[in-house]
Amino acid sequence: PGLSVAVAVDGSGNVSVAGTTSSPDFPGATGPGGGLDVFVTKLDPRTAKFEHYPLPERGIPHVDSKGIVWWGETVGFKFGHLDTKTGKMDRYPIDPTGNLKGRGHDPIVDYDDNIWLTVIRGNKLAKYDQKTGKISLYEPPSPNSLPYGADKDKAGNIWISQFTQCRMAKFDPKEETFTEFPALTAYEEDQFCLIRRGSVDKNGMVWYGVFSNGKIGKLDPATGKMVEYKMPAAFAEPYDIWADKDNNM
């Protein structure tokens, strides 16, 4: 038995899947009674060849332009990367001082090859500069917002979902400032509101899912205008949203 928690595709079309398994015969598993093992599996769809890589902790992957798999650890307070060509793996503390005990989530790579990830329990956005090795932490204005998921726009701004505050937030890396946009549902009286992972489409529109209310929302950052759409399925809980090549969501 196992569970796949995230999928990413690199520039060559290889597919990397991160997940967990309690199977005693999974490659790299600790064996019968060994508990839950965490892995990344790479699939080459041209040859149907699988390669399996055990991870030290559960993580959400992202594959950069060089085919390197990055992950943020949801338990270990670290993030890391895996070179599937060599099998070399490195891990780094999210907070080198050791003061922050947060859960890393959803790493992305910006246009300068910096790594960004949300720190859901620490209420932070983290940046790792690959050129210098420096790690920077930024705190959104809203307290205890549980940042959950990140994406970038064409201008290089980083967008994060604020799970418990029901907001989308834009971080400007040049000015190092946040701008928060509460979801329309958050304004409704006595409305419990949770937002999961959002994304930016090719036209610069920001999309999010209202997990607690079965809606998807669209934000125009240029005007601040928002619109929300009720999903037809009863008790829908949109967890993640992104655009395909034709900009369908």
Side-chain angles (χ1 to χ4, degrees):
L3 173 67
S4 298
V5 297
V7 179
V9 182
D10 67 21
S12 300
N14 300 303
V15 181
S16 293
V17 180
T20 59
T21 180
S22 57
S23 173
D25 58 357
F26 189 84
T30 54
L36 199 64
D37 289 290
V38 188
F39 65 88
V40 163
T41 290
K42 175 184 173 182
L43 165 65
D44 184 336
R46 294 165 292 273
T47 63
K49 179 183 177 182
F50 286 90
E51 298 176 3
H52 305 287
Y53 304 91
L55 295 181
E57 294 286 354
R58 184 181 302 183
I60 308 296
H62 179 85
V63 184
D64 68 16
S65 60
K66 301 173 184 176
I68 303 297
V69 179
W70 292 86
W71 73 89
E73 295 180 8
T74 59
V75 178
F77 312 132
K78 292 181 173 65
F79 68 100
H81 68 79
L82 164 69
D83 187 337
T84 56
K85 295 179 181 177
T86 65
K88 187 176 186 297
M89 185 184 303
D90 289 300
R91 298 168 72 208
Y92 311 92
I94 292 175
D95 180 9
T97 67
N99 295 322
L100 176 66
K101 299 297 183 182
R103 294 169 54 186
H105 257 277
D106 303 303
I108 62 169
V109 184
D110 70 15
Y111 301 112
D112 296 318
D113 278 338
N114 299 306
I115 308 301
W116 296 83
L117 69 157
T118 50
V119 186
I120 186 170
R121 291 294 182 188
N123 199 43
K124 296 287 194 297
L125 173 65
K127 172 189 174 184
Y128 172 63
D129 188 322
Q130 292 196 68
K131 299 182 180 70
T132 65
K134 180 182 177 180
I135 298 172
S136 303
L137 296 169
Y138 306 95
E139 185 165 359
S142 294
N144 304 314
S145 66
L146 272 66
Y148 196 107
D151 200 4
K152 63 180 181 290
D153 63 23
K154 291 180 179 179
N157 298 305
I158 307 298
W159 287 85
I160 63 172
S161 308
Q162 295 174 281
F163 181 47
T164 54
Q165 293 290 348
C166 207
R167 299 164 186 249
M168 294 299 295
K170 180 182 74 172
F171 180 74
D172 183 333
K174 297 177 182 178
E175 301 294 331
E176 297 187 348
T177 56
F178 285 93
T179 305
E180 295 182 336
F181 300 85
L184 291 179
T185 302
Y187 290 107
E188 297 178 10
E189 187 176 358
D190 299 324
Q191 183 60 254
F192 180 63
C193 183
L194 298 172
I195 277 187
R196 294 279 189 175
R197 301 171 185 157
S199 65
V200 184
D201 70 18
K202 66 181 182 181
N203 295 324
M205 299 295 109
V206 178
W207 294 81
Y208 58 88
V210 184
F211 179 77
S212 56
N213 206 280
K215 297 178 181 179
I216 59 173
K218 180 176 73 171
L219 162 67
D220 183 342
T223 64
K225 181 181 178 181
M226 303 179 92
V227 59
E228 291 181 351
Y229 306 92
K230 184 70 175 178
M231 301 182 73
F235 310 112
E237 295 179 331
Y239 194 98
D240 200 352
I241 186 169
W242 65 91
D244 66 15
K245 62 182 179 64
D246 298 319
N247 222 34
N248 300 306
M249 307 306 297

